[in-house]
Amino acid sequence: MKLKLYLDEDAQDSDLLHALDLRGIDAIGAWACGLRQREDREHLEFATAQGRVLYGFNLGDFFQLHTEFLSQERTHSGIILARQQTYSVGEQMRRLLRIAASRSAEEMIDKIEFLSDWNDD
């Protein structure tokens, strides 16, 4: 199944969402889902309930949640992490497109990908 994305509150950007949409990627942002000022756990639980891979910038928090979920034998739909203010909107889009072209929704279950690993090399 094709990968669908959920951009948490920090990562959502209207230009990025629009660019992904134009390229056929099903992506939604936290604000459009009524999830302003929520805990990272709520974002991950929402994304999982929607069958969406979470894209966010809170590396430490989401890595810890990933570890907690696995230790509690809970499943999540996948997490893609990037450092905030590291990539332009265009670079984020290109790297997210590479991930979406290389990983199915099923392959992302309980996995973490780092945007930094998806360069042009």
Side-chain angles (χ1 to χ4, degrees):
M1 185 158 64
K2 196 171 182 180
L3 190 119
K4 298 185 296 183
L5 295 174
Y6 169 77
L7 282 61
D8 85 340
E9 198 166 5
D10 293 332
Q12 74 174 9
D13 179 291
S14 59
D15 291 333
L16 178 58
L17 286 165
H18 184 68
L20 291 168
D21 181 58
L22 287 174
R23 286 153 183 87
I25 301 295
D26 183 345
I28 58 173
W31 290 6
C33 299
L35 295 172
R36 287 178 186 246
Q37 299 179 348
R38 301 293 178 93
E39 298 293 322
D40 290 335
R41 179 180 304 281
E42 291 179 77
H43 289 289
L44 184 57
E45 289 171 346
F46 178 82
T48 297
Q50 298 290 313
R52 293 178 178 276
V53 174
L54 182 141
Y55 174 57
F57 296 145
N58 300 336
L59 279 76
D61 292 346
F62 284 118
F63 195 83
Q64 181 178 358
L65 283 169
H66 166 73
T67 302
E68 278 180 37
F69 271 54
L70 295 183
S71 69
Q72 297 168 1
E73 297 184 9
R74 293 180 64 192
T75 297
H76 63 75
S77 296
I79 302 170
I80 301 170
L81 296 173
R83 293 199 183 281
Q84 195 164 12
Q85 299 179 345
T86 300
Y87 304 103
S88 67
V89 167
E91 188 63 25
Q92 289 177 74
M93 179 206 60
R94 284 186 291 279
R95 290 175 186 234
L96 289 169
L97 288 173
R98 282 187 206 108
I99 295 171
S102 300
R103 302 281 187 270
S104 67
E106 294 81 12
E107 290 172 317
M108 284 299 299
I109 293 173
D110 293 333
K111 301 288 189 289
I112 289 185
E113 291 286 347
F114 295 94
L115 207 64
S116 59
D117 293 337
W118 293 85
N119 54 19
D120 288 329
D121 297 354

